[in-house]
């Protein structure tokens, strides 16, 4: 039996769900960039997605985060910078 309090276990479970959903969104975005362009652009997109996520101001204690907001901002930034080649 764990010595953790129920609130700590709940927070850890919530954090695990948030991280899993971020991973799914990032993976889908990079896969799309890889398919539309190439692996080099996919790697660049992943780096930019992570930077955008770090820049985003999230509400504290949020149990659900709209990772699509990060994806859209990253895609727009890549296009504006001319980083995406066809």
């Amino acid at each position: 039996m764990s010595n953790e309090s129920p609130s700590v276990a709940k927070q850890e479970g919530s954090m695990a769900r948030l991280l899993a959903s971020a991973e799914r969104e990032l993976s889908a975005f990079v896969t799309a960039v890889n398919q539309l362009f190439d692996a080099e652009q996919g790697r660049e997109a992943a780096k930019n997605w992570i930077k955008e996520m770090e820049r985003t101001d999230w509400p504290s204690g949020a149990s659900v985060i709209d990772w699509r907001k990060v994806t859209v901002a990253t895609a727009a930034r890549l296009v504006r910078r001319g980083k995406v080649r066809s």
Side-chain angles (χ1 to χ4, degrees):
M1 185 174 231
S2 174
N3 290 339
E4 291 181 354
S5 71
S7 64
V8 170
K10 184 178 178 181
Q11 286 176 331
E12 288 177 355
S14 179
M15 180 60 72
R17 285 188 295 280
L18 286 173
L19 291 174
S21 65
E23 184 178 348
R24 284 190 301 273
E25 181 69 22
L26 174 57
S27 177
F29 178 59
V30 171
T31 298
V33 173
N34 283 339
Q35 289 175 351
L36 291 170
F37 303 101
D38 60 27
E40 179 183 341
Q41 293 300 315
R43 285 188 296 276
E44 184 73 16
K47 290 176 191 174
N48 285 302
W49 194 95
I50 292 167
K51 287 178 187 175
E52 186 66 36
M53 179 193 65
E54 291 170 344
R55 269 194 289 271
T56 302
D57 185 26
W58 303 107
S60 64
S63 60
V64 175
I65 293 179
D66 183 9
W67 298 114
R68 192 62 45 95
K69 176 180 175 181
V70 174
T71 300
V72 169
T74 303
R77 185 179 304 274
L78 288 171
V79 169
R80 279 193 309 270
R81 290 183 180 170
K83 297 273 186 177
V84 178
R85 299 182 308 266
S86 55

